[in-house]
Amino acid sequence: MKKGIKRKIYNLNSELYKVTGIQRVLLDIHEALKTGLETKIVGTIPYRKVNRALDIDRKDYVRLRNPFVFRNSVVVIHERRLLPLMWVLTHIPGLNIRCVYVHHNELYGNKKLSRSLFPKNIVAISDAGIRNLTGYFGVAEEKITKIHNCVRETWHVKACSRHFNPDDIKILYPARINSVKQQVEIVKNLQGRLDSRIKILFAGIGPMYDELKSLCNDGGQFEALGFCSDIPELMCKCDFMMLFSQHEGLPISLIEAAQSGTPIICNDVGGNMEIVHDGENGFVVNDWDSLLSTLNSLPLIKSADIARMSEAGRNIYLNNFKFDIFKRNYSQLIKSIK
């Protein structure tokens, strides 16, 4: 940026009407950079339509009406479809705009066009994201900065404790209810085959919620809870956390599980293995038979092993996914942009 010009930071997203990991990372970046910088969250919808669960303060929100509002700023974008707009804006003389693109998921298609539109500064949230950018899109590694997602520490998660009862095991599955997260397929594949001592709680809403709700018998082994505002607190009341998606970026819910010391059951997609170390703080399974076998073996686990896995998860969180680490990395990135 030019000398003498105060640096402004804008976080731009066109889907602030919903709550996903992308919106949560956007809020974390805003929080990390607002000390000493002028930061705003930019959306394409009126403030009244912004999802209240995001807890965005009115003074921090700007509705995008005129892209020239970005003059003399760094714009952090979270969607590939915004790349054409930012390419145009960064090439208009006098606007003095820089762009940071956060690559949240492994993406495919539009290879040549995307490669030509990627900015000089790209954040990959996982090693899988880096491989996708370099291997598929042919992005030069020097353009990529790896910054893990984070979860902010809260008092009730620090104080989280649980007693493991092998005869009453609760597994939390917190995710948007859709085909990618596979909740409906999980019920269809496990119903009638799951050990009677195990119950799976699905927390979240989405396009397949009604179908999931109809499959779950009230009081049975599967329960659809709907939207839950405090996943970490709910996680503390469960014995395991589970995620079995078709693909992932770097799931916030897995980081929350590590933070709370909740052992994890997941598959090897996206950046999952950077959070879950098989046999240390969870179990990694990659097909339906292995998933069923692992779930049905949970009542055989000893309390001492649960405690060991819980401690391992906490250490993984503290060493890799704390907000302080996230804040330092994004601050360094922004300072490096010329």
Side-chain angles (χ1 to χ4, degrees):
M1 303 296 286
K2 293 181 179 178
K3 290 183 177 181
I5 295 176
K6 185 176 181 180
R7 179 163 291 179
K8 300 176 183 177
I9 311 296
Y10 293 103
N11 265 281
L12 173 61
N13 184 253
S14 68
E15 297 183 325
L16 295 175
Y17 54 84
K18 64 183 180 180
V19 182
T20 71
I22 290 175
Q23 285 76 40
R24 293 184 61 185
V25 173
L26 178 151
L27 294 173
D28 287 333
I29 295 173
H30 174 72
E31 183 69 22
L33 298 177
K34 70 180 185 182
T35 303
L37 295 170
E38 183 179 336
T39 62
K40 295 289 183 183
I41 295 169
V42 182
T44 57
I45 56 178
Y47 178 72
R48 69 179 183 278
K49 294 186 178 182
V50 173
N51 194 301
R52 290 293 170 258
L54 294 174
D55 197 25
I56 296 175
D57 197 301
R58 181 68 185 86
K59 64 180 175 58
D60 291 332
Y61 183 74
V62 175
R63 184 181 180 186
L64 183 61
R65 299 178 185 273
N66 183 346
F68 294 104
V69 70
F70 295 137
R71 185 188 301 271
N72 299 325
S73 73
V74 176
V75 183
V76 184
I77 64 172
H78 300 261
E79 302 157 272
R80 182 170 56 161
R81 61 184 169 189
L82 294 175
L83 287 173
L85 169 64
M86 295 312 305
W87 187 93
V88 171
L89 293 178
T90 55
H91 285 79
I92 296 178
L95 282 188
N96 194 30
I97 296 172
R98 302 292 184 269
C99 177
V100 176
Y101 165 64
V102 183
H103 192 64
H104 287 279
N105 291 292
E106 295 177 72
L107 300 175
Y108 298 92
N110 297 317
K111 182 188 298 188
K112 292 183 179 179
L113 178 61
S114 297
R115 183 188 305 159
S116 66
L117 295 175
F118 281 129
K120 293 180 180 178
N121 294 284
I122 303 172
V123 172
I125 62 175
S126 67
D127 291 333
I130 294 175
R131 291 192 294 269
N132 181 231
L133 286 165
T134 57
Y136 182 78
F137 291 105
V139 175
E141 285 195 34
E142 56 265 26
K143 289 186 175 183
I144 304 169
T145 302
K146 179 184 171 183
I147 304 179
H148 278 142
N149 295 338
C150 73
V151 170
R152 287 176 247 180
E153 196 88 299
T154 55
W155 70 267
H156 64 277
V157 172
K158 288 182 181 180
C160 179
S161 62
R162 60 178 66 80
H163 171 70
F164 180 64
N165 180 359
D167 293 322
D168 182 20
I169 297 174
K170 291 183 176 63
I171 301 173
L172 180 65
Y173 197 114
R176 185 166 171 79
I177 313 298
N178 58 28
S179 60
V180 172
K181 303 299 183 181
Q182 299 199 112
Q183 293 96 334
V184 168
E185 290 302 312
I186 285 168
V187 176
K188 288 180 177 179
N189 276 276
L190 300 182
Q191 211 157 38
R193 306 171 68 196
L194 189 64
D195 189 294
S196 62
R197 293 168 287 182
I198 298 171
K199 183 171 185 177
I200 299 177
L201 308 175
F202 298 101
I205 56 175
M208 298 183 72
Y209 178 75
D210 289 342
E211 183 178 357
L212 176 67
K213 183 75 173 174
S214 68
L215 287 172
C216 295
N217 297 320
D218 292 337
Q221 288 184 268
F222 304 93
E223 185 174 353
L225 302 177
F227 176 77
C228 298
S229 60
D230 197 341
I231 293 298
E233 186 172 353
L234 182 57
M235 211 170 273
C236 285
K237 298 176 182 177
C238 294
D239 303 288
F240 296 88
M241 180 266 172
M242 178 173 154
L243 198 62
F244 200 69
S245 308
Q246 291 179 354
H247 57 81
E248 282 291 349
L250 189 73
I252 299 293
S253 58
L254 293 189
I255 301 175
E256 288 175 330
Q259 178 198 39
S260 65
T262 307
I264 301 165
I265 301 160
C266 72
N267 52 345
D268 181 8
V269 294
N272 287 5
M273 297 290 282
E274 293 178 56
I275 307 168
V276 186
H277 301 171
D278 190 28
E280 293 183 27
N281 67 316
F283 304 102
V284 179
V285 293
N286 291 311
D287 58 68
W288 294 110
D289 288 340
S290 298
L291 175 62
L292 179 65
S293 176
T294 297
L295 291 174
N296 284 342
S297 68
L298 296 181
L300 303 177
I301 299 177
K302 300 183 185 304
S303 294
D305 291 328
I306 295 291
R308 173 184 55 79
M309 296 174 79
S310 177
E311 182 180 3
R314 277 290 294 173
N315 287 332
I316 289 170
Y317 164 76
L318 292 171
N319 292 328
N320 299 278
F321 304 105
K322 284 184 66 178
F323 178 70
D324 288 347
I325 299 171
F326 179 91
K327 179 177 180 177
R328 181 175 64 247
N329 288 336
Y330 268 100
S331 296
Q332 289 174 350
L333 173 63
I334 294 301
K335 287 178 182 177
S336 72
I337 297 175
K338 307 298 183 184

